[in-house]
Amino acid sequence: MLNKSNLITTTVTVGTAPQCVATEENYVWVANSSSANVTRIKKSDLTTTTIAVGTNPEGIAVDANYVWVANNGSDNVTRIKKSDLTTTTIAAGSGPFGVAVEETYCWVANNGSNNVTRILKSDLSKTTIAVGTNPFGVAVDETCVWVANVSSNNVTRILKSDLTTSAIAAGTYPVGISVDATYIWV
């Protein structure tokens, strides 16, 4: 943890091979790839709680009620209920890596099967959308889902209204992706 105002660092022990981090108002969530778990860090006092998930968690995203974890080694997603830390396992494509959430859906980039799994949060039903080769990162805005495809050297835009896709050229080996009000950052 790095304090932005005074640049002082504090070390918090988590699991082995922490892969990614998601934050919210009261907690920080860390996916620990080699430990097959997630560490929840309470911001106010840095106490930690460990939650078991699938093998090789690589992606993590947080919404109002849940934490969503893409488990690359077990081809599934773990949904952690924030209120009591209970978990639900949802099958995904091969090698899920990136995960993004919005009000209605959870979107998972499946690196090994060249697709995205859209999970309806209300009943966990799924739809699969083909994208480029080796998708890693995924980001969502009000109208689109954006997927960074490593081996295709492109980004797939998925229109949320009808799930149509289009490919947009990107630089070599695009892995991470983020979206703001104006731009897609790859």
Side-chain angles (χ1 to χ4, degrees):
M1 172 180 73
L2 175 64
N3 185 313
K4 293 190 310 186
S5 63
N6 61 17
L7 303 181
I8 294 174
T9 60
T10 302
T11 301
V12 179
T13 301
V14 297
T16 307
Q19 180 66 25
C20 55
V21 177
T23 63
E24 59 171 316
E25 185 176 347
N26 297 312
Y27 295 99
V28 176
W29 302 84
V30 181
N32 303 302
S33 184
S34 293
S35 299
N37 64 37
V38 167
T39 302
R40 181 184 74 174
I41 305 167
K42 188 174 183 181
K43 288 181 178 180
S44 63
D45 62 9
L46 303 182
T47 57
T48 61
T49 304
T50 302
I51 303 102
V53 296
T55 306
N56 300 112
E58 301 288 347
I60 192 166
V62 179
D63 66 25
N65 299 308
Y66 298 100
V67 178
W68 301 82
V69 184
N71 301 307
N72 184 266
S74 53
D75 298 336
N76 61 36
V77 173
T78 300
R79 182 184 72 176
I80 304 168
K81 188 174 183 181
K82 291 173 12 179
S83 63
D84 63 8
L85 302 183
T86 57
T87 60
T88 303
T89 302
I90 305 130
S94 176
F97 197 89
V99 61
V101 292
E102 40 109 346
E103 187 175 329
T104 307
Y105 296 102
C106 173
W107 302 84
V108 183
N110 300 305
N111 181 262
S113 54
N114 303 325
N115 61 35
V116 169
T117 300
R118 181 184 74 173
I119 303 168
L120 180 59
K121 289 164 53 173
S122 62
D123 68 4
L124 303 182
S125 61
K126 298 175 289 188
T127 303
T128 302
I129 303 106
V131 295
T133 307
N134 299 118
F136 267 70
V138 60
V140 62
D141 63 26
E142 290 189 20
T143 59
C144 298
V145 178
W146 304 88
V147 183
N149 303 300
V150 171
S151 296
S152 297
N153 296 325
N154 66 20
V155 169
T156 298
R157 179 185 70 182
I158 304 169
L159 292 176
K160 289 170 30 177
S161 60
D162 62 6
L163 302 183
T164 57
T165 63
S166 56
I168 302 139
T172 304
Y173 204 73
V175 174
I177 190 163
S178 186
V179 60
D180 65 26
T182 308
Y183 297 103
I184 307 305
W185 299 89
V186 183

